Amino acid sequence: MGSCSGPEIIHDVPPYIRVYKDGTVERLVATETAPPGFDPQTGVTSKDVLINPTTGLTARLYRPNLPATNNQRLPLVIYFHGGAFCIATAAEPKYHNIVNILVAEAKVIGISVNYRLVPEHPLPAAYEDSWEVIKWAVAGSDEWIRDDVDFGKLFLAGDSAGANISHHMAIRIGKSNPPEIGIQLKGILMIHPYFWGEKPVGIEIKDPFRKSMVDNWWKFVCPSNKGCDDPLINPFVNGLNCLENLACDRIIIFVAENDILSERGRIYYESLVNVRHWKGKAEIVETQGEDHIFHVFNPTTEKARHLIKRSALFLNQD
């Protein structure tokens, strides 16, 4: 009598992903894709570009509806999507939609980075891909960027894992910015950043189930003897000195009251305020009664629209 147990699962990381013994990777959510092109709801046009033929790295570029006679150069926003480093893409419909909305509201040129995912491409692949796209962008490698961007107004933006990436990219710019690269970072837009740690804090203390769930996400994404105190996920494990290298003038951090990650966002903000040698300006905006990346799942609510409008204001401040 044959077995009906099915293929053996070696990693089960709900609600995101399963990995089977034969190497098959099954993503359970965020597997749909939306094509680039003209979006009639926002007037934004997008296109996909190949950055690195060897690795297959791509990005999706976004351009708002501009008058034919417009000579104004726009801010450039390089966006890193969320998904715990293991799901979603720049083409995922919800992410494609939210970047369309942000680009239209803020009147910016957008680049959504389609970085490679774990487990097929272990970390630091996502960070290396993101760095490669930044260098590609500031080199003016596409006509939309060359023709329409004010390179004095470069922003990094992202939600969840993407906000984590934006932090590490800003640190990398601060540490290794030779003149030939010419990266001049104006600011960072962080939405519900994915930072973590071994010791529970704040809301995590009262919610051991979700604490354990997020622990398991990171240990799957980045297996090491450092666990959730790996510097990639806990930027403060070695103190606050890393923040002194943040290469930007200002940062805004959004947190959501019901988000298990919210306390880490608050700690990040408080650390920025207290760090001695970073002279930039930090802001924090908390949304009451909402959970993680609520605005991505439903951008039409009043609170989601407020988040987008506040983001657009940040991107257009002098």
Side-chain angles (χ1 to χ4, degrees), residues 169-200:
M169 294 302 99
I171 296 293
R172 188 162 179 174
I173 292 169
K175 284 184 173 180
S176 55
N177 187 12
E180 64 268 22
I181 294 179
I183 302 173
Q184 297 179 334
L185 182 60
K186 186 74 173 175
I188 307 175
L189 169 62
M190 286 188 175
I191 304 174
H192 309 162
Y194 182 25
F195 298 124
W196 205 238
E198 285 287 336
K199 183 180 179 180

Side-chain angles (χ1 to χ4, degrees), residues 80-100:
F80 310 103
H81 68 79
F85 295 97
C86 62
I87 62 166
T89 65
E92 198 278 328
K94 291 183 180 64
Y95 277 113
H96 178 59
N97 185 42
I98 203 67
V99 177
N100 271 325

Side-chain angles (χ1 to χ4, degrees), residues 89-123:
T89 65
E92 198 278 328
K94 291 183 180 64
Y95 277 113
H96 178 59
N97 185 42
I98 203 67
V99 177
N100 271 325
I101 292 170
L102 178 62
V103 166
E105 182 70 32
K107 292 292 188 291
V108 297
I109 300 295
I111 303 176
S112 186
V113 180
N114 200 37
Y115 56 83
R116 289 171 294 168
L117 302 176
V118 172
E120 297 92 334
H121 306 283
L123 294 179

Side-chain angles (χ1 to χ4, degrees), residues 127-184:
Y127 297 105
E128 294 304 321
D129 288 350
S130 299
W131 181 245
E132 188 168 358
V133 172
I134 291 171
K135 292 192 294 182
W136 176 89
V138 299
S141 301
D142 183 88
E143 61 181 356
W144 286 6
I145 301 172
R146 288 193 303 272
D147 295 346
D148 296 321
V149 163
D150 178 350
F151 286 99
K153 296 180 179 179
L154 169 64
F155 292 86
L156 304 181
D159 65 274
S160 195
N164 173 301
I165 291 173
S166 71
H167 160 80
H168 286 287
M169 294 302 99
I171 296 293
R172 188 162 179 174
I173 292 169
K175 284 184 173 180
S176 55
N177 187 12
E180 64 268 22
I181 294 179
I183 302 173
Q184 297 179 334

Side-chain angles (χ1 to χ4, degrees), residues 1-142:
M1 190 170 183
S3 171
C4 60
S5 60
E8 182 180 350
I9 298 172
I10 58 172
H11 295 291
D12 192 359
V13 190
Y16 294 144
I17 196 168
R18 294 192 189 106
V19 181
Y20 295 88
K21 189 175 183 179
D22 66 1
T24 302
V25 176
E26 180 187 15
R27 288 184 169 83
L28 307 175
V29 292
T31 58
E32 303 86 357
T33 60
F38 177 72
D39 177 48
Q41 299 299 318
T42 60
V44 172
T45 302
S46 58
K47 64 180 179 181
D48 290 336
V49 295
L50 178 62
I51 307 294
N52 187 329
T54 301
T55 62
L57 172 62
T58 64
R60 181 162 290 187
L61 273 60
Y62 294 81
R63 187 176 185 272
N65 185 20
L66 300 171
T69 57
N70 179 72
N71 293 318
Q72 179 186 4
R73 290 196 170 253
L74 306 177
L76 174 63
V77 177
I78 301 178
Y79 193 92
F80 310 103
H81 68 79
F85 295 97
C86 62
I87 62 166
T89 65
E92 198 278 328
K94 291 183 180 64
Y95 277 113
H96 178 59
N97 185 42
I98 203 67
V99 177
N100 271 325
I101 292 170
L102 178 62
V103 166
E105 182 70 32
K107 292 292 188 291
V108 297
I109 300 295
I111 303 176
S112 186
V113 180
N114 200 37
Y115 56 83
R116 289 171 294 168
L117 302 176
V118 172
E120 297 92 334
H121 306 283
L123 294 179
Y127 297 105
E128 294 304 321
D129 288 350
S130 299
W131 181 245
E132 188 168 358
V133 172
I134 291 171
K135 292 192 294 182
W136 176 89
V138 299
S141 301
D142 183 88

